[in-house]
Amino acid sequence: MSITTKPESAERQDVAGPPAVGRLGDRLFSASALTAGVIIMVTLGAVFVFLAVEGIDGFHADRSVFEPAAGNFWAYAGKLLFGTTLAAVLAMIIAVPFAIGLALFISHYAPRRLAVPVAYLIDLLAAVPSVVYGLWGARTLASAAQPIQTWLGEHLGWFPLFSGQVSATGRTMLVAAVVLAIMIVPITTAICREVFQQTPRLLEEAALGLGATRWEMIRMAVFPHARSGMVAGVMLGLGRALGETMAVAMVLSASPLVTLKVLTSDNPATIASNIAANYNSEDNRIQTVLIATGLVLFVFTFLVNFAARLIVARAERKLA
Amino acid sequence: MTTADLTGEARSLPLQRLRLPRYAALMVAVAAVVVATLTGLLLGWGPVPTVIVAVVLADIALPLWSRLVEGRRPAVDRLITALVWTALACALTPLAWLLITTLDSGIPAVSGHFLTHNMVQQLDPVTFKTMPGSGVVHALLGTLLVTFGAAVISVPVGLMTSVYLVEYGRGRWIARVITLLVDVMTGIPSIVAGLFALALFNVFFGVGTRMGIMGSIALSLLMIPTVVRSAEEMMRLVPNDLREASYALGVPKWRTILKVVLPTSIGGIVTGVMLAISRVIGETAPLLVAVGSIDVTNTNLFSGRMQTLPVFIMTEYKTSTPEGYRLAWGGALLLIVIVMVLNLAARIIGKIFAPSAKR
Amino acid sequence: MNTSTLRRAIVPGVAALALAASLAACGSSDDSADSAASDGSSGAAAGGSLSGTVAGGGSSAQEKAQESWRAGFGQANSGVTMTYDSVGSGTGRSNFISGAYKYAGSDSAMTSDEITQATKACGGDPVEFPVFISPIDVAFNLKGVSSLNLDAKTVAQIFKGDIKTWDDPAIKALNPDAKLPSTAISPVHRSDSSGTTDNFTDYLHQAAPSVWTSDHSSDWPTTSGESAEGTSGVVGAVQGGNGTIGYIDDSGVEGTKLGVAKIKVGDSFVAPSADGAAAGLAASQLVSGTPATVMEYKINRTSTDPSTYPVFMASYEIACQSYGDANTGAVVKAFLTYITSADGQKAAAANAYSAPLPTDVASKEAAIIAKIGS
């Protein structure tokens, strides 16, 4: 980058400070930026208030509302939280490696002419409505996956995850996790690929010049630079996994219970799919309970994000 | 290695590192496919296990061969390359499958009539059957309007928030709170967003209010986090030198942001916005709750119910009749096509407005 | 033309387009029904003097029937727009009581509490009567078996999980000529709250009380077995496996290749049919102690008359006798008249495969509808 010197004859009316227009513009602009941030805070506060007000009765709801799944609210919410976490963790385990691999492919491995169409196709996966994912997952994928699940159950049945009576229709937690993973991949891939593509050429060329293989260059130059962006992509994907309603409700054969077996037809329900399935229930009392579970999910997401940020901040401090 | 040690063996040492032949990857792939097919035919496997075994074989054989010939580091590199290509194949498979399923079930439903009529149907006077030829125009217009409304709300708010987070708020506690809250927003179940919008408007406008704008608000709750996070990341990646250069020239901060930072990151921002729109355009639960379902075409966001494509798909699917399924798949196909077109448009716009990129 | 010139040309153009689009969205009003429904056919009594939009909702089982009723009613009254949200019977009733819906569809009759609340909300006795009668099939998917005879006790044991394989002696006893494999049985139930579940569990409780001890409920009482969302979900689940069995509204089974079991009534095995369901309603008694404008049936599922099919659902329509404004009252009255008329019932039968109301029931309902004042 060359340094250019401005000629002395440039118009500079007031040497004392920035022009008045600039200062007003700055103040307006920063004020509106702050306002936007405050709007988000206020909105989220409103959502929290809504959940609390509508759901407060749910915490003390009568026993009969939860039967036969649980005896009180916390057992009920606990089981649903377990299901939410299990589905999200499984989906993330499947999705994140794929997303990063795909993002790497688009940014570094693909022949130039292939990169743009592939990126477009992956973005297309995000375009499919969740209802269609539910339909496809419940019918097509489940029946196609059934033989694979039977094989897993027969040959790897000793592994606690794969034990138990394999479902006849294939609509299991494993398939739901796969569908969730397919829904997460485009989000994480898009953000990761944008971030990978922003790696300074200089860093990459320097690594290659020192004799690094392509993978070593990526490890040394791309990943450190892209760390924050990757975390952002993963957190957005996790958010989607935790909050996905329709697809999970249609694919899973679910009720609130705690089990690690992912191949059976007794599957833990997630908080979001439980709300969708039971919101229009005959028994109106369950509505406050469902909103209360929504509040639980809200707080849980808060804690998970907080913890993730702490961990990332600590890791970054160690590296700096 | 001195020239005095030139025995017969040493003369054959190459000057550069040993490398696998140029088309090694291709050869290994072909060999793996052949071996897997033969074994599959012998043991009676179906096509799926054969493909899986072929892929696993290729992914193991190539790095192994490379390890023997080229050494450890190139072998690891080849392994990663193989894995990345496998990831691509694995990701494209469900996409192709989904698209084929949707096309297969949806194309029979789409026609000129489908696109220009709504669900106000007629009964055949003899059989009393609803006459075939229902359409989706009301849902199409509804989706475009509601999503447009959501974008109008969330893009400015989201962009300005990320501007604040990156440019003005670094290190301040309020920025940290906002970032945390944005992360929490990603986890709101879509149905809760719809219930919230419903409750909000019912408080002010009375029980039973249903408006298109309520759906827009619910959807923007779901869009904002994606817009904020992706815009934030992209703006963070703009090199500081560009900002400094601009300040050094006496440009005020706000103009720097508008003229330097935003255009530089516009490609990524557009991707983020498109991602957010793609996600919410297919959301059913919040729209069902907040906007409801209706047969006629309503293009007024501020009065009365509107039909939207995802709710249309859900409603028709729930009828569990062959005609209902047909309409549902037609709607799904239409939705995917809309997003494809929007994506394409966004890319073109991004290319036009980005400063000439010299990476 | 370089990119910056292109940019300068595009920006005002895009802005103008966006402005125009938003103005169009804000400014235009609802299209009325007749401007789009122009298939050029059946000019029968188009027009009518009624107008307005009336919102209703409730049972999702009635969805297809409601669609056909909207079509027929809308043809005759082009100024009216009826809407129906398939939010489920419970939400339908509570929204009716809160005033959000002017009429509601419900798979189960209102409880006495709800009737009191509805009376308060309507400012008078509410109106309630059955409008949609639909048989519930016990459908199965088993390779090599296309027909099956079952009785109440066996069905209850299957769905409870007591009978685990298809070649169980209880099933064999009812089907001596069938070749039943030893495949495991996978019963499928509804994961969402449903009138179909309510009526099916009512049948099991009434006809096999020793096995099915829990009372009828819209939420499936056990946690075992597969569950699926909605009628279509159960159809997909039963189709997707071998050895699966589920209870499905008859409209969902049409067009699929699922086997349907014949249920034992008295000494013979009866297949599900619209006539059987209608006969089942005719054999049932009205619940006493309700206001005169409320017709609720206690369905008798233990009849031994072979012309009845006991596993069916009767879905109700609920409305007020008078509303705040005269127009709503007139529209609701006309709509209910149409639904219970022969034409309306024929439309529901043709599109939702329901059973037309028995004539005596229909005439009683017409008397009630006449009371809806304006």
Side-chain angles (χ1 to χ4, degrees), chain A residues 4-58:
Chain A
T4 51
T5 43
K6 255 184 148 220
E8 285 303 327
S9 56
E11 288 122 54
R12 277 295 226 146
Q13 254 100 16
D14 60 323
V15 208
V21 174
R23 209 189 327 215
L24 178 64
D26 254 332
R27 240 183 281 168
L28 276 178
F29 198 74
S30 63
S32 42
L34 183 58
T35 314
V38 169
I39 289 178
I40 290 189
M41 281 171 67
V42 165
T43 312
L44 232 68
V47 172
F48 183 79
V49 164
F50 160 72
L51 286 175
V53 162
E54 295 281 334
I56 198 75
D57 293 324

Coordinates of all heavy atoms in Angstrom, one line a residue, chain A residues 4-58:
Chain A
T4 N 0.0 8.2 0.0 CA -0.1 9.4 -0.8 C -0.2 10.6 0.1 O -0.8 10.5 1.2 CB -1.4 9.3 -1.7 OG1 -2.5 9.0 -0.8 CG2 -1.2 8.3 -2.7
T5 N 0.4 11.6 -0.3 CA 0.4 12.9 0.5 C -0.6 13.8 -0.2 O -0.5 14.0 -1.4 CB 1.8 13.5 0.6 OG1 2.4 13.5 -0.7 CG2 2.7 12.8 1.6
K6 N -1.5 14.4 0.7 CA -2.4 15.3 0.1 C -1.7 16.6 -0.2 O -1.0 17.1 0.7 CB -3.5 15.5 1.1 CG -4.8 14.8 0.8 CD -5.9 15.1 1.8 CE -7.2 15.1 1.0 NZ -8.1 16.1 1.3
P7 N -2.0 17.2 -1.3 CA -1.4 18.5 -1.6 C -1.8 19.6 -0.6 O -3.0 19.5 -0.1 CB -1.8 18.9 -3.0 CG -3.0 17.9 -3.3 CD -2.8 16.7 -2.4
E8 N -0.9 20.5 -0.3 CA -1.2 21.5 0.8 C -2.4 22.3 0.4 O -3.0 22.9 1.3 CB 0.0 22.4 1.0 CG 1.1 21.7 1.7 CD 0.7 21.2 3.1 OE1 -0.2 21.8 3.7 OE2 1.2 20.1 3.5
S9 N -2.7 22.5 -0.9 CA -3.7 23.4 -1.3 C -5.1 22.8 -1.1 O -6.1 23.4 -1.4 CB -3.5 23.8 -2.8 OG -3.5 22.6 -3.5
A10 N -5.2 21.7 -0.5 CA -6.6 21.1 -0.2 C -7.4 22.0 0.6 O -6.9 22.6 1.6 CB -6.4 19.7 0.4
E11 N -8.7 22.1 0.3 CA -9.5 23.0 1.1 C -9.7 22.4 2.5 O -10.3 21.4 2.7 CB -10.9 23.1 0.5 CG -10.9 23.9 -0.8 CD -11.4 23.1 -2.0 OE1 -12.5 22.6 -1.8 OE2 -10.7 22.9 -3.0
R12 N -9.3 23.2 3.5 CA -9.5 22.8 4.9 C -9.9 24.0 5.6 O -9.1 24.8 6.1 CB -8.2 22.3 5.5 CG -7.9 20.8 5.2 CD -9.0 19.9 5.9 NE -8.3 18.8 6.5 CZ -8.8 18.3 7.6 NH1 -9.8 18.8 8.2 NH2 -8.2 17.3 8.2
Q13 N -11.2 24.3 5.7 CA -11.6 25.6 6.3 C -11.3 25.7 7.7 O -10.7 26.6 8.2 CB -13.1 25.7 6.1 CG -13.5 26.8 5.0 CD -13.8 26.1 3.7 OE1 -14.1 24.9 3.7 NE2 -13.8 26.8 2.6
D14 N -11.8 24.6 8.5 CA -11.5 24.8 10.0 C -10.5 23.7 10.4 O -10.8 22.5 10.3 CB -12.8 24.7 10.8 CG -13.5 23.4 10.6 OD1 -13.5 22.9 9.5 OD2 -14.0 22.9 11.6
V15 N -9.4 24.1 10.8 CA -8.3 23.2 11.2 C -8.6 22.7 12.6 O -8.0 21.8 13.1 CB -7.0 23.9 11.2 CG1 -5.9 22.8 10.9 CG2 -6.9 24.9 10.0
A16 N -9.6 23.4 13.2 CA -9.8 23.2 14.7 C -10.5 21.8 14.9 O -10.3 21.2 16.0 CB -10.6 24.3 15.3
G17 N -11.3 21.4 14.0 CA -12.0 20.1 14.3 C -12.7 19.7 13.0 O -12.7 20.3 12.0
P18 N -13.4 18.5 13.1 CA -14.2 18.0 12.0 C -15.3 19.0 11.6 O -15.8 19.7 12.5 CB -14.7 16.7 12.4 CG -14.7 16.8 13.9 CD -13.6 17.7 14.3
P19 N -15.7 19.0 10.4 CA -16.8 19.9 9.9 C -18.1 19.6 10.7 O -18.3 18.4 11.1 CB -16.9 19.6 8.4 CG -16.1 18.4 8.1 CD -15.2 18.2 9.3
A20 N -18.9 20.6 10.8 CA -20.1 20.5 11.7 C -21.1 19.4 11.1 O -21.7 18.7 11.9 CB -20.8 21.9 11.7
V21 N -21.1 19.4 9.8 CA -22.0 18.4 9.2 C -21.6 17.0 9.7 O -22.4 16.1 10.0 CB -22.0 18.4 7.7 CG1 -22.7 17.3 7.1 CG2 -22.5 19.8 7.2
G22 N -20.3 16.8 9.7 CA -19.8 15.5 10.0 C -20.2 15.1 11.5 O -20.6 14.0 11.8
R23 N -20.1 16.1 12.3 CA -20.3 15.9 13.8 C -21.8 15.6 14.0 O -22.1 14.6 14.7 CB -19.9 17.1 14.6 CG -19.5 16.7 16.0 CD -19.3 17.8 16.9 NE -18.8 19.0 16.2 CZ -18.0 19.8 16.8 NH1 -17.5 19.5 18.0 NH2 -17.6 20.9 16.2
L24 N -22.7 16.3 13.3 CA -24.1 16.0 13.4 C -24.4 14.7 12.8 O -25.1 13.9 13.4 CB -24.9 17.1 12.7 CG -26.4 16.9 12.7 CD1 -26.9 17.0 14.1 CD2 -27.1 18.0 11.9
G25 N -23.8 14.4 11.7 CA -24.1 13.1 11.0 C -23.7 12.0 11.9 O -24.4 11.0 12.1
D26 N -22.5 12.1 12.5 CA -22.0 11.1 13.4 C -22.9 10.9 14.6 O -23.2 9.7 14.9 CB -20.6 11.5 14.0 CG -19.5 10.7 13.4 OD1 -19.8 9.6 12.9 OD2 -18.4 11.3 13.3
R27 N -23.4 12.0 15.1 CA -24.3 11.8 16.3 C -25.6 11.1 15.9 O -26.0 10.2 16.6 CB -24.6 13.2 17.0 CG -24.1 13.2 18.4 CD -24.4 14.5 19.1 NE -23.5 15.5 18.7 CZ -23.7 16.8 19.0 NH1 -24.7 17.2 19.6 NH2 -22.8 17.7 18.7
L28 N -26.2 11.6 14.8 CA -27.4 11.0 14.4 C -27.2 9.5 14.1 O -28.0 8.6 14.5 CB -27.9 11.6 13.1 CG -28.7 12.9 13.2 CD1 -29.1 13.5 11.8 CD2 -30.0 12.6 14.0
F29 N -26.1 9.2 13.4 CA -25.9 7.8 13.0 C -25.7 6.9 14.2 O -26.2 5.9 14.3 CB -24.7 7.8 12.0 CG -24.6 6.6 11.2 CD1 -25.5 6.4 10.2 CD2 -23.6 5.6 11.5 CE1 -25.4 5.2 9.4 CE2 -23.6 4.4 10.7 CZ -24.4 4.3 9.7
S30 N -24.8 7.4 15.1 CA -24.5 6.5 16.2 C -25.8 6.4 17.1 O -26.0 5.3 17.7 CB -23.3 7.0 17.0 OG -23.6 8.3 17.6
A31 N -26.6 7.5 17.1 CA -27.8 7.4 17.9 C -28.7 6.3 17.3 O -29.3 5.5 18.0 CB -28.5 8.7 18.0
S32 N -28.9 6.4 16.0 CA -29.8 5.4 15.4 C -29.2 4.0 15.5 O -30.0 3.0 15.7 CB -30.1 5.7 13.9 OG -28.9 6.1 13.2
A33 N -27.9 3.8 15.5 CA -27.4 2.5 15.6 C -27.7 2.0 17.0 O -28.1 0.8 17.2 CB -25.9 2.5 15.4
L34 N -27.5 2.9 18.0 CA -27.8 2.5 19.4 C -29.2 2.2 19.6 O -29.6 1.2 20.2 CB -27.3 3.6 20.4 CG -27.5 3.3 21.9 CD1 -26.7 2.1 22.2 CD2 -27.1 4.5 22.7
T35 N -30.1 3.0 18.9 CA -31.5 2.8 19.0 C -31.9 1.4 18.5 O -32.7 0.7 19.1 CB -32.3 3.8 18.2 OG1 -31.8 5.1 18.4 CG2 -33.8 3.8 18.5
A36 N -31.3 1.0 17.4 CA -31.6 -0.3 16.9 C -31.2 -1.4 17.9 O -32.0 -2.3 18.1 CB -30.8 -0.5 15.6
G37 N -30.1 -1.2 18.5 CA -29.7 -2.2 19.5 C -30.7 -2.2 20.7 O -31.0 -3.3 21.2
V38 N -31.1 -1.0 21.1 CA -32.0 -1.0 22.2 C -33.4 -1.6 21.8 O -34.0 -2.3 22.6 CB -32.2 0.5 22.6 CG1 -33.4 0.7 23.6 CG2 -31.0 1.0 23.3
I39 N -33.8 -1.4 20.5 CA -35.0 -2.0 20.1 C -35.0 -3.5 20.3 O -35.9 -4.2 20.8 CB -35.3 -1.7 18.6 CG1 -35.7 -0.3 18.4 CG2 -36.4 -2.6 18.1 CD1 -36.0 0.1 17.0
I40 N -33.8 -4.1 20.0 CA -33.7 -5.6 20.2 C -33.8 -5.9 21.6 O -34.5 -6.9 22.0 CB -32.3 -6.0 19.6 CG1 -32.4 -5.9 18.1 CG2 -32.0 -7.5 20.0 CD1 -31.2 -6.6 17.4
M41 N -33.1 -5.1 22.5 CA -33.2 -5.4 23.9 C -34.6 -5.4 24.4 O -35.1 -6.2 25.1 CB -32.3 -4.4 24.7 CG -30.9 -4.7 24.7 SD -29.9 -3.4 25.4 CE -30.3 -3.5 27.1
V42 N -35.3 -4.3 24.0 CA -36.7 -4.1 24.4 C -37.6 -5.3 23.9 O -38.4 -5.8 24.7 CB -37.2 -2.8 23.9 CG1 -38.7 -2.7 24.1 CG2 -36.6 -1.6 24.7
T43 N -37.4 -5.6 22.7 CA -38.2 -6.7 22.1 C -38.0 -8.0 22.9 O -39.0 -8.7 23.2 CB -37.9 -7.0 20.7 OG1 -37.8 -5.7 20.0 CG2 -38.9 -7.9 20.0
L44 N -36.7 -8.3 23.1 CA -36.5 -9.5 23.9 C -37.0 -9.5 25.3 O -37.5 -10.5 25.8 CB -35.0 -9.8 23.9 CG -34.7 -11.2 23.4 CD1 -35.0 -11.3 22.0 CD2 -33.3 -11.7 23.7
G45 N -36.9 -8.3 25.9 CA -37.5 -8.2 27.2 C -39.0 -8.4 27.1 O -39.6 -9.1 28.0
A46 N -39.7 -7.9 26.0 CA -41.1 -8.1 25.9 C -41.4 -9.6 25.7 O -42.4 -10.1 26.3 CB -41.6 -7.3 24.7
V47 N -40.6 -10.3 25.0 CA -40.9 -11.7 24.8 C -40.7 -12.4 26.1 O -41.6 -13.3 26.4 CB -39.9 -12.3 23.8 CG1 -40.0 -13.8 23.7 CG2 -40.1 -11.8 22.4
F48 N -39.7 -12.1 26.9 CA -39.5 -12.7 28.2 C -40.8 -12.4 29.1 O -41.3 -13.3 29.7 CB -38.3 -12.1 28.9 CG -38.0 -12.8 30.2 CD1 -37.4 -14.0 30.2 CD2 -38.3 -12.1 31.4 CE1 -37.1 -14.6 31.4 CE2 -38.0 -12.7 32.6 CZ -37.4 -14.0 32.6
V49 N -41.2 -11.1 29.1 CA -42.4 -10.8 29.9 C -43.6 -11.6 29.5 O -44.3 -12.2 30.3 CB -42.7 -9.3 29.8 CG1 -44.1 -9.0 30.3 CG2 -41.6 -8.5 30.5
F50 N -43.8 -11.7 28.1 CA -44.9 -12.5 27.6 C -44.9 -13.9 28.1 O -45.8 -14.4 28.6 CB -44.9 -12.4 26.1 CG -45.6 -13.5 25.4 CD1 -47.0 -13.5 25.4 CD2 -45.0 -14.6 24.8 CE1 -47.7 -14.5 24.8 CE2 -45.7 -15.6 24.1 CZ -47.1 -15.5 24.1
L51 N -43.7 -14.5 28.0 CA -43.6 -15.9 28.4 C -43.8 -16.0 29.9 O -44.5 -17.0 30.3 CB -42.2 -16.4 28.1 CG -41.9 -16.7 26.6 CD1 -40.4 -17.1 26.4 CD2 -42.8 -17.8 26.1
A52 N -43.3 -15.1 30.7 CA -43.4 -15.2 32.1 C -44.9 -15.0 32.5 O -45.5 -15.8 33.3 CB -42.6 -14.1 32.8
V53 N -45.5 -14.0 31.9 CA -46.9 -13.7 32.3 C -47.9 -14.8 31.9 O -48.7 -15.3 32.7 CB -47.4 -12.4 31.7 CG1 -48.9 -12.3 31.7 CG2 -46.8 -11.2 32.4
E54 N -47.7 -15.3 30.7 CA -48.6 -16.4 30.2 C -48.3 -17.7 30.9 O -49.1 -18.6 31.0 CB -48.5 -16.5 28.7 CG -49.0 -15.3 27.9 CD -50.5 -15.3 27.8 OE1 -51.1 -16.3 27.9 OE2 -51.0 -14.2 27.7
G55 N -47.0 -17.9 31.2 CA -46.6 -19.2 31.7 C -46.6 -19.4 33.2 O -46.4 -20.5 33.6
I56 N -46.7 -18.3 33.9 CA -46.5 -18.4 35.3 C -47.4 -19.4 36.0 O -46.9 -20.1 36.9 CB -46.6 -17.0 36.0 CG1 -46.0 -17.0 37.4 CG2 -48.1 -16.6 36.1 CD1 -44.5 -16.9 37.3
D57 N -48.6 -19.6 35.5 CA -49.5 -20.6 36.2 C -49.0 -22.0 35.8 O -49.4 -22.9 36.6 CB -50.9 -20.4 35.7 CG -51.5 -19.1 36.2 OD1 -51.2 -18.7 37.3 OD2 -52.3 -18.4 35.4
G58 N -48.3 -22.1 34.8 CA -47.9 -23.4 34.4 C -47.0 -24.1 35.4 O -47.0 -25.3 35.5

